[in-house]
Amino acid sequence: MKNIALLGILAVLVLEAGCTMGPKYKRPAVNVPQAYRTPEPQQATQALVAWQRAMVAALSGPVLTQLIHTAIAQKL
């Protein structure tokens, strides 16, 4: 039983040692085009507000109201 525990500990240590990158790891420089970068928070908020306004305009109106009343009347 003691040998199995030592073997398990040794296996964990060997696997853990394989995951280290070492002290000399340096992140490679990557040139990412500006189009792929995350937008500024203000731009993202403005885009969200514009999208929400467009959805409200598209989904509200007499056609939607009539569809809802029809669905309720037909118990859909």
Side-chain angles (χ1 to χ4, degrees):
M1 185 70 177
K2 189 174 183 181
N3 288 338
I4 293 174
L6 288 175
L7 184 61
I9 291 172
L10 180 64
V12 168
L13 290 174
V14 168
L15 291 173
E16 198 172 288
C19 293
T20 60
M21 288 188 261
K24 295 186 180 190
Y25 174 77
K26 184 178 177 185
R27 179 178 283 201
V30 178
N31 294 326
V32 179
Q34 189 64 31
Y36 292 109
R37 296 189 186 273
T38 305
E40 296 295 324
Q42 183 180 10
Q43 292 173 342
T45 303
Q46 290 172 351
L48 179 61
V49 168
W51 180 81
Q52 288 173 340
R53 287 182 181 164
M55 293 306 297
V56 167
L59 296 177
S60 62
V63 174
L64 179 62
T65 304
Q66 182 59 39
L67 286 173
I68 291 172
H69 288 298
T70 303
I72 291 172
Q74 295 178 1
K75 297 183 181 179
L76 295 178

